[in-house]
Amino acid sequence: MGANDLNTIGQSVRRKEDYRFLIGAGQYTDDVNPPHHTHAYFLRSPHAHAKIRKTDTSKAKAAPGVVGIYTGADLTGVNGLPCGWLITGTDGQPMKEPPHPVLAQDKVRYVGDGIALVIAETPDQAKDAAELIDVDYEVLPAVVNPVDALKSGAPQIHDGAPGNKCYTWALGDKAAVDAAFAKAAHVTKLDIVNNRLIPNAIEPRAAVASYSRADDGYTLYVTSQNPHVERLLMTAFVLGLPETKVRVIAPDVGGGFGSKIYLYPEETAMVWASKRVNRPIKWTAERSESFLSDAHGRDHVTHAELALDKDGKFLAMRVHTTAAMGAYLSTFASCIPTILYATLLAGQYTTPAIYCEVTAVFTNTAPVDAYRGAGRPEATYVVERLVYAAAAEMGIAQDEIRRRNFIRKFPYQTPVALLYDTGGYDACLDEAMKMADVRGFAARKAEAAKRGKLRGLGYSSYIEACGIAPSNIAGALGARAGLYEVGEVRVNPTGGVTVFTGSHSHGQGHETTFSQVVASRLGIPIENVEIVHGDTGRIPFGMGTYGSRSLAVGGTAIIKALDKVVAKGKKIAAHLLEAAEADIEFKDGKFNVAGTDRSKAFGEVALAAYVPHNYPLDKLEPGLDETAFYDPTNFTFPAGTHICEVEVDPETGVVQIVDFSACDDFGNIINPMIVEGQVHGGLAQGIGQALLECCVYDKETGQLLTGSYMDYAMPRAAHLPSFKVATKVTPCTHNPLGAKGCGEAGAIGAPAALMNAVHDALAAAGVKYIDMPATPHRVWNAIQAAKH
C-alpha cells in the first residue's frame, strides 16, 4: 500500500462501526445484564399540577418480587438536578432556579413527573407493584402555553418564580433599532409559533446502575451523549459522591439529537438506590414513557419585525420571543433561547441593528432543552420567514433580496455578538438554485395549475454556530462548565494507535472519521487505529458531543495530541538516525533526515519508544502516549442555502415535497459519505417539524395529547423526496482541520425552506400565513378561510 493510499481525508471510507451493528453485535445499554440484576419502574404523575397529600406504598411493598420502593421523602440528603447555564436578566438579577427534585416532593408539575421508584425482580412485577401505590392528590389548575402562563391569574407553578417567569433577557442595541424602524420605507411583521417537538431517538433512554460494597463504588451504564458531564453533575451537585467512586459508561447509543445530553432523574435515583438494595438495577423507558419524560424541543412564540429601505436593504430587526422552559430547568435549557438563539438572528445578512428580547416561562409540561440545532433552527426560522415575507410584500425576487443583503467581507462582526470568520454565501445560493432548476419553476407551476394544484418554491439561507466556545467567554455569559475537548493518542509498541476521545458517537461515525484523521496524519493504515469513547473509567475528562462540535473541537484535540506524538517521535528518530532533531522531517509515515535517504518508519520509532535500548533515558522518557486539550477561540459557522419545491392539493390540503436541494458549506470535509448521511437525517427531521410533528397538551388539564405514534406524526419515507445535496468549501480559519460541523444543518435550514414554499404556493389561494406543521387539516382550513 502506497503512502497516498493511507491519506483518506476527503474520501468516503465505509464506516468501521457498521459491521458490528449490521450483525447485531452492538452493545446498547439495554444489552447490559449484570448478574442478579433487578428492574426499575417509575410511577409518574397522571396530573399536570397537583399537591401530593399522602403517598401510601405499604401494599406495593408487600407485592410479589418487590425489592424496594422509594419516594421523594426517602431521598434525604439528595439535592435537586442542576441547570448548567446561568442567565442574568435585564433587571440585573439571576434567573429563577426552582428546585428540580429527583422524585417529586409535595407537588407534581407535569404529567410524567416522577413519584416513586419501584424495584422488583422482573419488569412486570415492578409495574404491577406501582399500580398498588396509593397517592392522594389535590389537583390544581394547569397552564401549558407559555403566553398564557404569563397572564395575570395564571396558575403559579413554583413559589420561587413569581408569575411563572424564569427571566427576561435581551441582546442588541434597542435605541439603534428603534431609530432604524422610524426611518424605514417598509416594515414586515410576523407572529410566529415554533412548534414543540419530541425527540424520539430510535433507542429510548435506559440505565443500569450497580453498587460494589468491595470498593464503595458505583457503575452506571446510561444512554448519554456526555458521560463525564453526567458524572460531574450527578456526583458533585446531586448525590454528593466523590467522582472517583462513580464510573459512567455510555456504550453504543442509538441516536440522541440533544435529548441524551442531560442529567435525568431516573438514572440519578437508580444510582442512589443501588446501594440501598445492594443489587444492580436496570431500567429501559417504554416509548410512551419517553414521550412524557424526555426533554422536548423548541416551543417559542415570537413577534418579529424587519425594517427595510426602499431598495430592500435590511436596516434593522426587532424580535420578542416567549420561550417555554417546561416545569423545571433542564441541564442547558436556559441558554437555548438566549445564547444559541438571539446571537444567530443576523443570519447571512448585513443587518446593521438587531434587538431581541426573550422571556423564559415555566409551564406544566415536560422540560424543554436542546433538540437538533438548539436555538439555531428557531433563529433561522424567524430570519428566513421574515426575508421571504419582505420579498413577497416588496415584489423582490427571493434570490435577489438575499443577494442585496449578503455578507461578503470577512471577518464580519454581527450586531448580536458573533464574529464570523469566513463564508461564501453566494456560491451556495447559486449551486442550490442550479440543482433546484429555478429557471424552470414557472413552467412547472403553470403545468401544476392545469391539474388544479398549487406549486411553491421556498428558500432558506441559514447560518449556524457550532462548537460553542471559548470557555472563558462562555463562562462570562453564564456557562457553568468548560467547553473544551480532550484527545489522548496512545501509540502501541507495534505501531498501532488507540485514541481516547471525550467526544461521544451516537450515530455520527466518529470511529471512522477520527480514524481517518489519525491514519492520514501518521501515515498508517486506518485499520490500525482504534477509537475509544464513552467510558469515564478509560477516557480523560471531556465534554461530550453536542452542537456539531465533535470534529471541529474533538478532532482538533486529537490533532494537537498527534502533533505531540510526532514531535516526540522526531526526538527518538534523531537518536536512532544519529542526526540533529532539527534535521528530522516526518512525512508519509516516515521520519527522514532532511536531504538524505536515511529514514525510520513510524512503527520502528514506536517500538524504540517502548524498547529503549541504547536510549538516552536521562533526556527522553520511554513511551509514546500524548494528551491534548483544545478550547476553541471562536465558534465555527457552517452555512448554506436550501430550496424546497412543493405541490399543494387545495381540495385536500395535502402538501407534497416534489424537490429539495441543499448546498452547504461545512468547511473541509473528512468523509463526504458520512456528511451526506448527516445532512439527509437533518433534512428529514426539519421536514418532520414543518410538515408533521407537533407536541400538543390539553389546554385545560395539561394531559399530553400526542403521547404515542398514533397522534405524534413522524416523517416516513413517503413524505421525503430524493434529496439533492452539494457542498462548497470555505475552511474554518481557526482550527487546523478547517472543519465547521455538519450534524444539525438539515434541521436548521429545512423548516423555513419548506414553509416558505408552502406560503409561496398558498399565496395563489389568498392565504397570508399558517404556522408549522403544515398538516392537511391546517392547510385546508387556511384555504377555506381565505375564501371568505
Side-chain angles (χ1 to χ4, degrees), residues 286-370:
E286 297 177 353
R287 185 58 68 177
S288 58
E289 203 173 7
S290 296
F291 273 90
L292 287 172
S293 63
D294 287 4
H296 294 173
R298 317 292 193 250
D299 205 356
H300 286 193
V301 179
T302 295
H303 178 74
E305 301 176 322
L306 180 65
L308 305 92
D309 69 12
K310 61 181 179 62
D311 297 317
K313 283 285 290 180
F314 303 161
L315 302 177
M317 184 184 297
R318 188 159 51 202
V319 177
H320 290 82
T321 293
T322 303
M325 295 287 98
Y328 304 102
L329 286 176
S330 181
T331 307
F332 293 110
S334 54
C335 73
I336 307 306
T338 51
I339 307 302
L340 296 180
Y341 167 66
T343 56
L344 273 299
L345 289 172
Q348 299 184 10
Y349 310 111
T350 57
T351 312
I354 300 172
Y355 178 76
C356 178
E357 186 173 288
V358 178
T359 299
V361 186
F362 293 108
T363 56
N364 291 119
T365 60
V368 178
D369 211 315

Side-chain angles (χ1 to χ4, degrees), residues 423-424 428 462 637-640 663-667 726-731 740-741:
C428 284
Y462 76 92
F637 298 100
C663 183
D664 304 287
D665 177 2
F666 299 133
T727 56
K728 298 294 181 180
V729 177
T730 59
K740 296 182 179 182

Side-chain angles (χ1 to χ4, degrees), residues 273-292:
S274 65
K275 183 174 183 178
R276 274 73 190 170
V277 301
N278 196 29
R279 288 176 62 186
I281 309 169
K282 181 175 181 177
W283 168 76
T284 300
E286 297 177 353
R287 185 58 68 177
S288 58
E289 203 173 7
S290 296
F291 273 90
L292 287 172

Side-chain angles (χ1 to χ4, degrees), residues 548-620:
S548 301
R549 73 191 297 269
S550 292
L551 186 61
V553 186
T556 297
I558 293 170
I559 283 287
K560 288 184 171 295
L562 287 168
D563 289 343
K564 292 182 179 181
V565 165
V566 170
K568 185 173 181 180
K570 287 182 177 180
K571 295 178 185 294
I572 298 171
H575 170 71
L576 298 176
L577 294 166
E578 299 180 338
E581 181 185 337
D583 291 335
I584 301 297
E585 300 174 340
F586 181 71
K587 184 179 180 182
D588 297 334
K590 290 184 178 181
F591 293 91
N592 304 286
V593 179
T596 76
D597 60 356
R598 296 167 58 217
S599 67
K600 289 289 183 182
F602 179 77
E604 293 178 278
V605 171
L607 183 61
Y610 289 95
V611 186
H613 296 163
N614 303 316
Y615 199 82
L617 294 174
D618 58 327
K619 298 179 181 179
L620 197 60

Side-chain angles (χ1 to χ4, degrees), residues 439-746:
R439 290 184 177 179
F441 174 70
R444 297 193 296 276
K445 183 173 183 176
E447 186 277 331
K450 293 178 181 178
R451 295 183 282 107
K453 305 296 175 63
L454 307 173
R455 281 255 175 161
L457 196 66
Y459 293 65
S460 176
S461 296
Y462 76 92
I463 192 167
E464 59 170 320
C466 298
I468 183 170
S471 291
N472 58 348
I473 293 177
L477 295 173
R480 289 166 167 167
L483 297 168
Y484 53 83
E485 197 46 84
V486 65
E488 178 187 352
V489 176
R490 182 180 299 170
V491 181
N492 301 308
T494 56
V497 175
T498 303
V499 177
F500 300 86
T501 174
S503 300
H504 185 275
S505 179
H506 38 279
Q508 294 89 342
H510 292 175
E511 293 177 36
T512 303
T513 305
F514 286 163
S515 292
Q516 288 181 256
V517 170
V518 174
S520 297
R521 178 72 175 95
L522 297 181
I524 62 177
I526 193 172
E527 295 80 14
N528 290 7
V529 182
E530 176 193 17
I531 306 297
V532 177
H533 62 90
D535 184 347
T536 63
R538 298 187 66 189
I539 60 175
F541 190 99
M543 301 308 296
T545 293
Y546 52 85
S548 301
R549 73 191 297 269
S550 292
L551 186 61
V553 186
T556 297
I558 293 170
I559 283 287
K560 288 184 171 295
L562 287 168
D563 289 343
K564 292 182 179 181
V565 165
V566 170
K568 185 173 181 180
K570 287 182 177 180
K571 295 178 185 294
I572 298 171
H575 170 71
L576 298 176
L577 294 166
E578 299 180 338
E581 181 185 337
D583 291 335
I584 301 297
E585 300 174 340
F586 181 71
K587 184 179 180 182
D588 297 334
K590 290 184 178 181
F591 293 91
N592 304 286
V593 179
T596 76
D597 60 356
R598 296 167 58 217
S599 67
K600 289 289 183 182
F602 179 77
E604 293 178 278
V605 171
L607 183 61
Y610 289 95
V611 186
H613 296 163
N614 303 316
Y615 199 82
L617 294 174
D618 58 327
K619 298 179 181 179
L620 197 60
E621 64 184 24
L624 200 51
D625 185 340
E626 299 290 344
T627 299
F629 290 80
Y630 174 63
D631 199 325
T633 58
N634 193 3
F635 288 90
T636 64
F637 298 100
T641 290
H642 295 179
I643 299 179
C644 178
E645 185 171 337
V646 301
E647 185 170 284
V648 179
D649 185 341
E651 298 299 318
T652 64
V654 170
V655 176
Q656 179 188 1
I657 304 172
V658 294
D659 188 81
F660 201 108
S661 302
C663 183
D664 304 287
D665 177 2
F666 299 133
N668 291 334
I669 291 174
I670 305 300
N671 188 309
M673 178 186 68
I674 289 178
V675 168
E676 184 172 342
Q678 289 287 302
V679 172
H680 282 209
L683 291 174
Q685 284 183 275
I687 288 168
Q689 174 174 14
L691 204 61
L692 298 156
E693 299 180 50
C694 189
C695 173
V696 179
Y697 285 91
D698 183 85
K699 189 173 182 179
E700 301 299 326
T701 66
Q703 293 294 324
L704 180 62
L705 300 180
T706 52
S708 75
Y709 292 132
M710 294 293 290
D711 303 295
Y712 188 89
M714 296 281 285
R716 301 183 180 188
H719 295 118
L720 307 175
S722 180
F723 298 123
K724 301 174 184 175
V725 298
T727 56
K728 298 294 181 180
V729 177
T730 59
C732 174
T733 61
H734 54 80
N735 71 59
L737 290 167
K740 296 182 179 182
C742 69
E744 297 165 297

Side-chain angles (χ1 to χ4, degrees), residues 70 79 120 133 147 358 413 436 441 477 483 662 754:
Y70 302 98
N79 298 317
I133 298 175
V147 174
V358 178
Q413 178 64 57
F441 174 70
L477 295 173
L483 297 168
L754 196 157

